[in-house]
Amino acid sequence: MGRNQVYCCICGGPFLEPGTREHEPGEWLCHPTLWTTVHLAKNGVELDMYKWELGMYTYDLADPANDSQRRVLEQEATYQDHNVFLISGSGEKVTAFHIVDDESALYLAVHGRCSQLVQHFVSSRREAHDVFQISDKDEISSVKQLWQVIFSRLPASGRGFAHNIDHPTRYYGIASLHLTEWEPDNNPLVGEYVEADPIEVPQLTDCILDNLEPDASVIRSEETSADLEDRDWWFNELITKKELPWLWDLDEDAARKKQRTGDWNWELLVKKLSRTDIYRPEDETLRLPLGLRNRRRIWKCIEDARLGDIQRQIGPPLLGFAVPMEGNLWDGYTPKSQQPAA
Protein backbone atom coordinates (compact mmCIF):
# COMPACT_ATOMS: atom_id res chain seq x y z
CA MET A 1 0.00 0.00 0.00
CA GLY A 2 2.27 2.83 1.21
CA ARG A 3 1.97 6.00 -0.86
CA ASN A 4 -0.73 4.32 -2.94
CA GLN A 5 -2.94 3.92 0.11
CA VAL A 6 -6.16 5.88 -0.43
CA TYR A 7 -7.82 7.87 2.34
CA CYS A 8 -11.37 9.05 2.93
CA CYS A 9 -11.81 12.76 2.22
CA ILE A 10 -14.20 13.18 5.17
CA CYS A 11 -12.45 11.40 8.06
CA GLY A 12 -8.91 10.92 6.72
CA GLY A 13 -8.94 7.20 7.56
CA PRO A 14 -7.75 4.55 5.07
CA PHE A 15 -9.74 2.33 2.75
CA LEU A 16 -8.95 -1.31 3.41
CA GLU A 17 -9.35 -4.17 0.97
CA PRO A 18 -12.36 -6.49 1.53
CA GLY A 19 -11.77 -9.26 4.04
CA THR A 20 -8.78 -7.65 5.77
CA ARG A 21 -10.84 -6.83 8.90
CA GLU A 22 -13.82 -9.15 8.56
CA HIS A 23 -15.68 -9.40 11.90
CA GLU A 24 -12.90 -7.36 13.51
CA PRO A 25 -12.41 -3.71 14.53
CA GLY A 26 -11.85 -1.64 11.41
CA GLU A 27 -14.26 -3.63 9.22
CA TRP A 28 -16.14 -0.40 8.44
CA LEU A 29 -13.01 0.87 6.67
CA CYS A 30 -13.59 -1.82 4.02
CA HIS A 31 -16.89 -0.30 2.86
CA PRO A 32 -16.43 2.78 0.65
CA THR A 33 -19.05 4.93 -1.01
CA LEU A 34 -18.24 6.94 -4.13
CA TRP A 35 -19.71 10.42 -4.53
CA THR A 36 -20.05 11.97 -7.96
CA THR A 37 -22.35 14.58 -9.45
CA VAL A 38 -25.03 14.10 -12.07
CA HIS A 39 -27.54 16.28 -13.88
CA LEU A 40 -30.90 15.88 -15.55
CA ALA A 41 -30.69 15.60 -19.34
CA LYS A 42 -33.03 14.77 -22.21
CA ASN A 43 -32.17 11.09 -21.95
CA GLY A 44 -32.45 10.97 -18.16
CA VAL A 45 -29.72 11.41 -15.58
CA GLU A 46 -26.16 11.82 -16.85
CA LEU A 47 -22.83 12.04 -15.09
CA ASP A 48 -21.28 15.50 -14.87
CA MET A 49 -18.04 15.70 -16.82
CA TYR A 50 -15.07 17.53 -15.35
CA LYS A 51 -12.01 18.77 -17.23
CA TRP A 52 -8.44 19.62 -16.46
CA GLU A 53 -7.57 23.19 -17.47
CA LEU A 54 -4.32 22.97 -19.43
CA GLY A 55 -1.72 25.35 -18.00
CA MET A 56 -3.97 26.31 -15.08
CA TYR A 57 -3.67 23.09 -13.06
CA THR A 58 -7.28 23.33 -11.99
CA TYR A 59 -10.43 21.25 -12.39
CA ASP A 60 -13.78 22.55 -13.57
CA LEU A 61 -17.08 21.35 -15.02
CA ALA A 62 -16.71 20.66 -18.73
CA ASP A 63 -20.28 21.63 -19.59
CA PRO A 64 -21.94 23.30 -16.59
CA ALA A 65 -25.61 22.51 -16.06
CA ASN A 66 -28.07 24.53 -14.04
CA ASP A 67 -27.35 23.82 -10.37
CA SER A 68 -31.02 23.10 -9.73
CA GLN A 69 -30.71 20.16 -12.16
CA ARG A 70 -27.62 18.74 -10.47
CA ARG A 71 -27.28 16.45 -7.47
CA VAL A 72 -24.72 14.28 -5.72
CA LEU A 73 -24.97 10.58 -6.53
CA GLU A 74 -23.76 8.13 -3.86
CA GLN A 75 -22.79 4.63 -4.99
CA GLU A 76 -21.61 1.69 -2.91
CA ALA A 77 -18.27 0.35 -4.02
CA THR A 78 -15.41 -1.97 -3.16
CA TYR A 79 -11.82 -0.84 -2.76
CA GLN A 80 -9.46 -2.84 -5.00
CA ASP A 81 -5.95 -1.40 -4.77
CA HIS A 82 -3.86 1.55 -5.96
CA ASN A 83 -6.86 3.90 -6.06
CA VAL A 84 -9.11 1.52 -7.99
CA PHE A 85 -12.73 1.16 -6.84
CA LEU A 86 -15.33 -1.27 -8.16
CA ILE A 87 -18.86 0.23 -8.28
CA SER A 88 -21.19 -2.38 -6.80
CA GLY A 89 -24.13 -1.97 -9.18
CA SER A 90 -22.45 -1.65 -12.55
CA GLY A 91 -19.16 -3.44 -11.91
CA GLU A 92 -17.34 -0.48 -13.42
CA LYS A 93 -13.82 0.21 -12.19
CA VAL A 94 -13.03 3.86 -11.48
CA THR A 95 -10.42 5.93 -9.70
CA ALA A 96 -11.03 8.69 -7.17
CA PHE A 97 -9.92 12.29 -6.70
CA HIS A 98 -8.68 12.96 -10.21
CA ILE A 99 -9.82 13.25 -13.81
CA VAL A 100 -8.96 10.62 -16.41
CA ASP A 101 -7.48 11.96 -19.66
CA ASP A 102 -8.78 15.42 -20.55
CA GLU A 103 -12.35 14.95 -19.38
CA SER A 104 -14.22 12.46 -17.20
CA ALA A 105 -16.55 12.02 -14.27
CA LEU A 106 -15.03 12.90 -10.91
CA TYR A 107 -15.37 10.61 -7.90
CA LEU A 108 -14.82 11.40 -4.23
CA ALA A 109 -14.17 8.34 -2.08
CA VAL A 110 -15.70 8.32 1.40
CA HIS A 111 -16.49 5.58 3.89
CA GLY A 112 -20.09 4.46 4.02
CA ARG A 113 -20.07 5.27 7.75
CA CYS A 114 -18.79 8.78 7.06
CA SER A 115 -21.55 9.28 4.52
CA GLN A 116 -24.05 8.31 7.23
CA LEU A 117 -22.47 10.84 9.60
CA VAL A 118 -22.86 13.54 6.96
CA GLN A 119 -26.56 12.71 6.69
CA HIS A 120 -26.97 12.96 10.47
CA PHE A 121 -25.13 16.29 10.44
CA VAL A 122 -27.31 17.69 7.64
CA SER A 123 -30.46 16.49 9.45
CA SER A 124 -29.36 18.34 12.58
CA ARG A 125 -29.16 21.70 10.82
CA ARG A 126 -32.03 24.06 11.54
CA GLU A 127 -32.01 25.17 7.91
CA ALA A 128 -31.02 22.94 5.02
CA HIS A 129 -30.00 24.45 1.69
CA ASP A 130 -29.95 21.77 -0.99
CA VAL A 131 -27.69 23.76 -3.29
CA PHE A 132 -24.03 23.71 -4.28
CA GLN A 133 -23.54 27.40 -3.53
CA ILE A 134 -22.05 28.17 -0.13
CA SER A 135 -20.18 31.16 1.29
CA ASP A 136 -16.72 30.79 2.77
CA LYS A 137 -18.09 31.58 6.25
CA ASP A 138 -21.05 29.20 6.45
CA GLU A 139 -21.26 25.63 7.72
CA ILE A 140 -22.42 23.10 5.19
CA SER A 141 -26.12 22.26 5.30
CA SER A 142 -26.36 19.70 2.50
CA VAL A 143 -24.36 16.99 0.80
CA LYS A 144 -24.13 19.28 -2.24
CA GLN A 145 -22.38 21.96 -0.21
CA LEU A 146 -19.95 19.46 1.31
CA TRP A 147 -19.15 18.25 -2.22
CA GLN A 148 -18.35 21.84 -3.16
CA VAL A 149 -16.07 22.28 -0.14
CA ILE A 150 -14.16 19.05 -0.82
CA PHE A 151 -13.95 19.89 -4.53
CA SER A 152 -12.27 23.18 -3.55
CA ARG A 153 -9.67 21.17 -1.59
CA LEU A 154 -8.62 18.98 -4.51
CA PRO A 155 -4.91 19.47 -5.23
CA ALA A 156 -5.64 19.94 -8.95
CA SER A 157 -1.98 19.39 -9.68
CA GLY A 158 -2.34 18.33 -13.26
CA ARG A 159 -2.63 14.66 -14.19
CA GLY A 160 -0.98 13.36 -11.04
CA PHE A 161 -2.83 10.94 -8.76
CA ALA A 162 -4.11 12.28 -5.44
CA HIS A 163 -4.44 9.50 -2.88
CA ASN A 164 -5.35 11.80 -0.02
CA ILE A 165 -6.90 15.25 0.19
CA ASP A 166 -5.71 17.77 2.73
CA HIS A 167 -7.97 19.05 5.51
CA PRO A 168 -7.62 22.34 7.45
CA THR A 169 -7.14 20.43 10.72
CA ARG A 170 -5.17 17.54 9.17
CA TYR A 171 -8.18 15.41 10.19
CA TYR A 172 -7.19 16.10 13.80
CA GLY A 173 -3.96 14.14 13.66
CA ILE A 174 -4.83 11.36 11.25
CA ALA A 175 -3.10 12.92 8.23
CA SER A 176 0.24 12.48 9.97
CA LEU A 177 -0.03 8.80 9.03
CA HIS A 178 -0.72 9.35 5.34
CA LEU A 179 2.87 8.84 4.28
CA THR A 180 3.14 5.42 5.90
CA GLU A 181 1.61 2.06 5.09
CA TRP A 182 -1.54 1.59 7.15
CA GLU A 183 -0.62 -0.85 9.88
CA PRO A 184 -2.24 -0.16 13.28
CA ASP A 185 0.68 -1.81 15.09
CA ASN A 186 2.91 1.06 13.94
CA ASN A 187 1.02 3.32 16.33
CA PRO A 188 -1.35 1.27 18.52
CA LEU A 189 -3.10 4.28 20.06
CA VAL A 190 -3.94 5.91 16.73
CA GLY A 191 -4.61 2.63 14.92
CA GLU A 192 -7.14 1.42 17.48
CA TYR A 193 -8.75 4.86 17.58
CA VAL A 194 -9.15 5.26 13.81
CA GLU A 195 -10.46 1.73 13.38
CA ALA A 196 -13.17 2.17 16.05
CA ASP A 197 -16.61 2.18 14.40
CA PRO A 198 -18.14 5.68 14.74
CA ILE A 199 -21.74 4.57 14.09
CA GLU A 200 -22.26 1.26 15.87
CA VAL A 201 -21.00 2.10 19.36
CA PRO A 202 -21.79 -0.72 21.84
CA GLN A 203 -23.66 0.36 25.00
CA LEU A 204 -23.39 4.01 23.98
CA THR A 205 -26.02 5.29 26.42
CA ASP A 206 -24.71 3.28 29.38
CA CYS A 207 -21.16 4.53 28.72
CA ILE A 208 -22.33 8.14 28.76
CA LEU A 209 -24.53 7.77 31.85
CA ASP A 210 -21.68 6.07 33.72
CA ASN A 211 -20.04 9.51 33.75
CA LEU A 212 -22.85 11.03 35.83
CA GLU A 213 -21.85 12.38 39.22
CA PRO A 214 -24.18 12.95 42.19
CA ASP A 215 -25.33 16.52 42.57
CA ALA A 216 -23.62 17.38 45.84
CA SER A 217 -25.47 20.70 46.09
CA VAL A 218 -28.87 19.04 46.42
CA ILE A 219 -30.51 19.08 49.84
CA ARG A 220 -34.01 17.76 49.28
CA SER A 221 -35.61 19.52 52.23
CA GLU A 222 -34.41 22.90 50.97
CA GLU A 223 -34.85 22.23 47.27
CA THR A 224 -36.93 24.81 45.44
CA SER A 225 -38.99 24.51 42.30
CA ALA A 226 -36.35 26.66 40.57
CA ASP A 227 -33.66 24.10 41.47
CA LEU A 228 -35.77 21.30 40.04
CA GLU A 229 -36.47 23.25 36.85
CA ASP A 230 -32.76 23.99 36.40
CA ARG A 231 -31.82 20.33 36.78
CA ASP A 232 -34.62 19.28 34.44
CA TRP A 233 -33.46 21.89 31.91
CA TRP A 234 -29.99 20.36 31.71
CA PHE A 235 -31.47 16.86 31.52
CA ASN A 236 -33.65 17.96 28.61
CA GLU A 237 -30.60 19.46 26.89
CA LEU A 238 -29.11 15.98 26.89
CA ILE A 239 -32.10 13.97 25.71
CA THR A 240 -33.37 16.44 23.09
CA LYS A 241 -29.86 16.46 21.54
CA LYS A 242 -30.27 20.02 20.25
CA GLU A 243 -26.82 21.01 21.51
CA LEU A 244 -25.36 17.52 21.13
CA PRO A 245 -26.67 16.35 17.74
CA TRP A 246 -23.84 13.84 17.37
CA LEU A 247 -25.57 11.82 20.12
CA TRP A 248 -28.64 11.17 17.95
CA ASP A 249 -28.85 7.54 19.15
CA LEU A 250 -28.83 8.26 22.89
CA ASP A 251 -31.57 6.12 24.49
CA GLU A 252 -34.04 8.59 26.00
CA ASP A 253 -35.89 5.91 27.99
CA ALA A 254 -32.66 4.69 29.58
CA ALA A 255 -31.73 8.28 30.49
CA ARG A 256 -35.14 8.87 32.11
CA LYS A 257 -34.77 5.64 34.07
CA LYS A 258 -31.39 6.86 35.33
CA GLN A 259 -32.90 10.23 36.23
CA ARG A 260 -35.35 8.52 38.60
CA THR A 261 -32.59 6.73 40.52
CA GLY A 262 -31.19 9.79 42.29
CA ASP A 263 -30.07 13.39 42.17
CA TRP A 264 -27.54 13.66 39.38
CA ASN A 265 -25.45 16.54 38.10
CA TRP A 266 -26.82 16.69 34.55
CA GLU A 267 -25.35 20.15 34.03
CA LEU A 268 -21.80 18.90 34.55
CA LEU A 269 -22.32 15.96 32.21
CA VAL A 270 -23.76 18.11 29.41
CA LYS A 271 -20.99 20.69 29.76
CA LYS A 272 -18.32 17.99 29.57
CA LEU A 273 -19.96 16.43 26.51
CA SER A 274 -20.08 19.90 24.93
CA ARG A 275 -16.32 20.30 25.07
CA THR A 276 -15.04 20.01 21.52
CA ASP A 277 -11.77 18.29 22.45
CA ILE A 278 -13.35 15.18 23.97
CA TYR A 279 -12.55 13.51 20.64
CA ARG A 280 -8.98 13.06 21.89
CA PRO A 281 -8.39 9.45 22.98
CA GLU A 282 -6.25 10.60 25.90
CA ASP A 283 -8.97 12.92 27.25
CA GLU A 284 -9.62 12.22 30.95
CA THR A 285 -12.66 14.42 31.55
CA LEU A 286 -14.99 11.61 30.45
CA ARG A 287 -14.82 7.84 30.15
CA LEU A 288 -15.96 7.22 26.58
CA PRO A 289 -15.44 4.37 24.10
CA LEU A 290 -13.05 5.05 21.24
CA GLY A 291 -15.83 4.68 18.68
CA LEU A 292 -17.70 7.61 20.20
CA ARG A 293 -14.54 9.71 20.33
CA ASN A 294 -13.88 8.85 16.69
CA ARG A 295 -17.46 9.89 15.85
CA ARG A 296 -16.89 13.24 17.55
CA ARG A 297 -13.65 13.70 15.60
CA ILE A 298 -15.32 13.02 12.26
CA TRP A 299 -18.28 15.23 13.22
CA LYS A 300 -15.79 18.03 13.86
CA CYS A 301 -14.25 17.46 10.44
CA ILE A 302 -17.69 17.98 8.89
CA GLU A 303 -18.55 20.85 11.23
CA ASP A 304 -15.36 22.73 10.34
CA ALA A 305 -15.83 22.45 6.57
CA ARG A 306 -15.66 25.86 4.88
CA LEU A 307 -15.35 26.77 1.23
CA GLY A 308 -11.73 27.62 0.41
CA ASP A 309 -10.41 26.37 3.75
CA ILE A 310 -7.45 24.76 1.95
CA GLN A 311 -5.24 26.66 -0.46
CA ARG A 312 -5.33 24.68 -3.70
CA GLN A 313 -2.01 23.31 -4.81
CA ILE A 314 -1.24 25.09 -8.08
CA GLY A 315 1.61 23.64 -10.07
CA PRO A 316 2.98 20.50 -11.72
CA PRO A 317 1.99 17.06 -10.41
CA LEU A 318 3.44 16.19 -7.00
CA LEU A 319 4.32 12.79 -5.61
CA GLY A 320 2.30 13.33 -2.46
CA PHE A 321 0.53 16.06 -0.57
CA ALA A 322 0.64 15.04 3.08
CA VAL A 323 3.44 16.30 5.28
CA PRO A 324 4.44 15.18 8.78
CA MET A 325 2.78 17.18 11.54
CA GLU A 326 4.68 19.14 14.14
CA GLY A 327 3.69 19.38 17.79
CA ASN A 328 0.89 17.45 19.46
CA LEU A 329 -0.49 14.65 17.31
CA TRP A 330 -4.07 15.84 17.76
CA ASP A 331 -3.59 19.60 17.39
CA GLY A 332 -3.67 20.05 13.62
CA TYR A 333 -4.22 23.50 12.21
CA THR A 334 -6.75 26.12 13.23
CA PRO A 335 -9.78 25.59 10.98
CA LYS A 336 -11.15 28.52 9.05
CA SER A 337 -14.33 28.32 11.14
CA GLN A 338 -12.29 29.18 14.25
CA GLN A 339 -10.00 31.82 12.77
CA PRO A 340 -10.61 35.47 13.78
CA ALA A 341 -12.42 37.61 11.25
CA ALA A 342 -10.18 39.77 9.08
Side-chain angles (χ1 to χ4, degrees):
M1 292 185 284
R3 280 188 183 274
N4 289 326
Q5 178 74 59
V6 183
Y7 299 88
C8 172
C9 57
I10 291 177
C11 78
F15 291 102
L16 302 182
E17 295 177 18
T20 55
R21 293 289 191 279
E22 191 171 0
H23 307 303
E24 295 180 7
E27 182 181 9
W28 68 280
L29 300 172
C30 301
H31 302 285
T33 295
L34 294 178
W35 288 9
T36 189
T37 61
V38 297
H39 62 273
L40 294 177
K42 291 181 179 179
N43 297 324
V45 175
E46 294 182 356
L47 291 170
D48 286 341
M49 292 291 111
Y50 290 80
K51 62 182 179 179
W52 179 65
E53 292 285 359
L54 183 64
M56 296 298 292
Y57 302 106
T58 57
Y59 295 150
D60 204 354
L61 281 168
D63 187 16
N66 189 301
D67 272 4
S68 64
Q69 304 297 310
R70 297 176 64 219
R71 65 182 178 89
V72 175
L73 176 68
E74 302 181 32
Q75 298 173 289
E76 292 184 4
T78 302
Y79 177 58
Q80 303 289 289
D81 59 4
H82 303 296
N83 201 10
V84 176
F85 292 84
L86 181 69
I87 297 177
S88 300
S90 65
E92 181 184 3
K93 289 185 177 182
V94 301
T95 54
F97 307 136
H98 81 284
I99 294 167
V100 180
D101 299 323
D102 294 327
E103 182 179 306
S104 73
L106 177 64
Y107 294 92
L108 301 181
V110 307
H111 295 116
R113 292 296 204 215
C114 292
S115 188
Q116 291 179 51
L117 277 171
V118 172
Q119 296 295 344
H120 283 293
F121 180 86
V122 169
S123 297
S124 74
R125 297 301 310 275
R126 290 182 174 87
E127 293 184 12
H129 303 283
D130 191 29
V131 295
F132 286 92
Q133 294 84 11
I134 182 175
S135 81
D136 61 0
K137 296 180 176 62
D138 292 334
E139 286 186 12
I140 66 108
S141 65
S142 66
V143 174
K144 289 181 180 179
Q145 290 183 337
L146 184 56
W147 166 279
Q148 199 64 22
V149 169
I150 297 174
F151 178 73
S152 75
R153 293 174 182 164
L154 285 170
S157 55
R159 301 166 194 270
F161 288 83
H163 296 103
N164 50 286
I165 295 178
D166 209 350
H167 186 276
T169 64
R170 312 290 288 158
Y171 299 102
Y172 291 101
I174 302 308
S176 62
L177 305 179
H178 283 184
L179 290 182
T180 61
E181 184 173 354
W182 182 258
E183 292 294 343
D185 292 343
N186 292 343
N187 191 324
L189 172 64
V190 181
E192 185 180 4
Y193 174 53
V194 174
E195 292 196 349
D197 192 327
I199 297 290
E200 297 293 334
V201 181
Q203 300 179 314
L204 178 145
T205 301
D206 289 342
C207 291
I208 290 174
L209 296 181
D210 282 346
N211 289 278
L212 270 171
E213 298 179 17
D215 192 341
S217 65
V218 172
I219 302 176
R220 280 196 173 276
S221 60
E222 299 179 3
E223 200 168 37
T224 67
S225 59
D227 294 327
L228 289 170
E229 288 178 6
D230 184 60
R231 203 157 67 243
D232 287 345
W233 189 89
W234 285 104
F235 173 77
N236 288 328
E237 282 293 286
L238 177 68
I239 63 172
T240 58
K241 312 172 185 80
K242 290 181 180 178
E243 298 303 319
L244 301 167
W246 52 279
L247 291 178
W248 70 83
D249 47 354
L250 183 79
D251 188 333
E252 182 179 335
D253 291 336
R256 290 191 183 280
K257 183 177 179 180
K258 182 70 173 181
Q259 184 190 34
R260 294 193 291 269
T261 64
D263 299 311
W264 302 103
N265 194 334
W266 296 99
E267 177 181 0
L268 181 61
L269 177 61
V270 171
K271 286 184 174 179
K272 284 183 176 180
L273 287 169
S274 299
R275 293 176 59 248
T276 57
D277 59 353
I278 63 170
Y279 71 88
R280 297 171 183 259
E282 74 273 23
D283 171 73
E284 296 181 351
T285 60
L286 290 167
R287 298 178 301 279
L288 297 176
L290 287 179
L292 194 57
R293 293 192 190 277
N294 197 24
R295 177 192 295 188
R296 188 65 185 99
R297 177 185 70 86
I298 300 170
W299 191 277
K300 279 173 65 64
C301 288
I302 302 168
E303 203 169 38
D304 290 338
R306 297 292 187 279
L307 188 67
D309 55 11
I310 288 292
Q311 183 68 43
R312 271 200 187 197
Q313 174 66 47
I314 305 298
L318 302 178
L319 292 176
F321 305 107
V323 295
M325 287 182 59
E326 296 179 358
N328 189 296
L329 178 63
W330 309 110
D331 285 345
Y333 298 129
T334 302
K336 195 168 185 176
S337 59
Q338 299 173 20
Q339 293 174 3

